[in-house]
Amino acid sequence: MILRSRLATHCAQASAHRPKPVLAVPGRTSLSHPPMISIIDDDMSVRTATHNLVRSLGYAVETYASAEEFLHSPHLNETSCVIADVRMPAMSGLDLQSHLIASGRRFPFIFVTAFSVESDRARALRAGAICFLSKPFDGDVLIKCLDTALAQNGSAPGE
């Protein structure tokens, strides 16, 4: 509940003060197609709150209840950044990251977890994760992680 109220407050503030992101495409002038952020979490309330925050920043957002759902999504190749829960049934966020790397797909990852375990954190960061956040997390911290991830991926606002 704290996460939802913090994010709801932050959503209203963020949308009023942040320019809409613009994605630069080689060979074209800047387009108004914002980067796609994929949110993967088996907890619907966290998925919804995170979706609302990220959407309020002007990004395109798709949400998924599982790693498998994301892997079968028609939006997989459009993704600019993944925000994923660490612990989910069937395939964890860490296993998803490993699977994508092994298949040649590299997305910036931001992990969120209710069960912060140092070995999980170390594994995620070793594999290139941008951030590893404990739930409930502060919206401002997530925004900074997202900005870093998109700058690293070449999809930052204004690029």
Side-chain angles (χ1 to χ4, degrees):
M1 203 44 92
I2 292 172
L3 171 66
R4 195 175 323 172
S5 63
R6 276 188 188 164
L7 290 180
T9 300
H10 189 78
C11 286
Q13 295 168 345
S15 62
H17 300 290
R18 188 173 177 100
K20 297 291 184 202
V22 176
L23 178 62
V25 176
R28 291 190 182 176
T29 57
S30 292
L31 300 175
S32 60
H33 299 295
M36 171 72 69
I37 311 303
S38 292
I39 299 167
I40 308 162
D41 199 309
D42 59 322
D43 182 328
M44 187 170 84
S45 65
V46 173
R47 230 177 22 250
T48 301
T50 306
H51 172 275
N52 291 341
L53 171 62
V54 175
R55 184 80 179 153
S56 76
L57 300 172
Y59 297 111
V61 182
E62 291 293 330
T63 60
Y64 307 94
S66 69
E68 295 85 354
E69 186 180 340
F70 172 68
L71 288 172
H72 293 98
S73 162
H75 302 288
L76 179 66
N77 293 324
E78 300 168 30
T79 297
S80 297
C81 181
V82 173
I83 301 172
D85 191 5
V86 172
R87 297 185 187 232
M88 296 181 285
M91 179 183 270
S92 74
L94 296 171
D95 290 340
L96 171 64
Q97 182 188 35
S98 296
H99 174 82
L100 289 168
I101 290 169
S103 66
R105 289 190 170 106
R106 292 198 173 265
F107 302 113
F109 263 78
I110 297 169
F111 284 104
V112 296
T113 186
F115 306 99
S116 188
V117 175
E118 183 54 35
S119 60
D120 289 345
R121 181 183 175 283
R123 177 180 166 192
L125 296 175
R126 253 192 329 270
I130 302 301
C131 293
F132 193 93
L133 307 175
S134 294
K135 295 176 186 175
F137 51 85
D138 184 85
D140 288 327
V141 174
L142 179 63
I143 290 168
K144 288 176 186 170
C145 291
L146 193 53
D147 288 344
T148 300
L150 294 174
Q152 174 182 313
N153 196 36
S155 300
E159 284 193 358

